[in-house]
Amino acid sequence: MKELTSRQQQALSTKKKIRETAYALLQNEPYEQLKMSAIASAAGVSVGTLYHYYPSKEALFFSGYHEFDIMVEQLRGSFSFSSHIEAIRALIYAQIGGAILRGVNLMSIVLRLQLCSQGNLFLDHKRAFPQYILAHVSEAIDQGELLAIDSAEEITHTILRTARGSIFDCCARNQVDQITQIGLHDLDIVLSHYTPEPREAFPPVNPVWLEAYRKWNA
């Protein structure tokens, strides 16, 4: 894991403070009425500092995607898994589990903003997170863990679509407390379709990525 400079650590700390302040303000004020100046004031930073880190309110609320990517880049290779399928399940589990940490209100806002922006963030497959999933899918195919019924890219897209769908559905139903259970269930149906032999159940998911995500946001 690459060590951050003191300046980088300070920047991450400031960005996190701004982000958490904005999330807290959302509990009492609708997104449309929340002003950047109010976020800056509550976070104890200047408006200029706020715009330095987040050029728009949308960028601020999309920043969780970037933070997740930074974590993946920094911790990639830090964990050992018994198989590439286990690694895929662990990382998707962390992605879905992150919705619990943020709650249905915030996730619903982010999903709505994504639709308005035509999905240009969560459909960007050049991000670190989907690229890491793709790398594991490719290795899983090469090692016979998954069948090449489709290309590695299409299998990866299917996995990511399934995870997004689980998050959206749980937010729509206000069932965020069940999101990891539902999301993992849906993911395993997809994975079982590509395994050489039918799988009724996979081993318990390795929670290391979700634990890392919790620490990253602590």
Side-chain angles (χ1 to χ4, degrees), residues 34-133:
L34 184 58
K35 304 297 183 183
M36 291 286 272
S37 57
I39 296 172
S41 177
V45 300
S46 69
V47 173
T49 296
L50 174 56
Y51 277 104
H52 171 72
Y53 290 119
Y54 301 109
S56 68
K57 190 166 62 170
E58 290 78 10
L60 170 57
F61 285 91
F62 282 156
S63 63
Y65 290 94
H66 298 299
E67 298 304 319
F68 193 77
D69 281 340
I70 291 171
M71 183 194 74
V72 170
E73 285 283 14
Q74 291 205 346
L75 299 183
R76 185 171 178 169
S78 298
F79 309 121
S80 297
F81 299 97
S82 62
S83 68
H84 293 289
I85 289 178
E86 182 188 25
I88 293 167
R89 293 175 78 237
L91 192 50
I92 293 295
Y93 184 74
Q95 178 207 18
I96 296 172
I100 292 179
L101 301 180
R102 295 311 181 193
V104 66
N105 185 38
L106 177 60
M107 288 307 303
S108 296
I109 289 170
V110 171
L111 288 170
R112 187 171 77 246
L113 290 174
Q114 281 287 13
L115 291 175
C116 293
S117 64
Q118 299 181 339
N120 60 358
L121 263 180
F122 64 54
L123 296 181
D124 181 3
H125 295 290
K126 294 181 181 179
R127 290 175 44 222
F129 168 58
Q131 284 296 310
Y132 189 45
I133 297 294

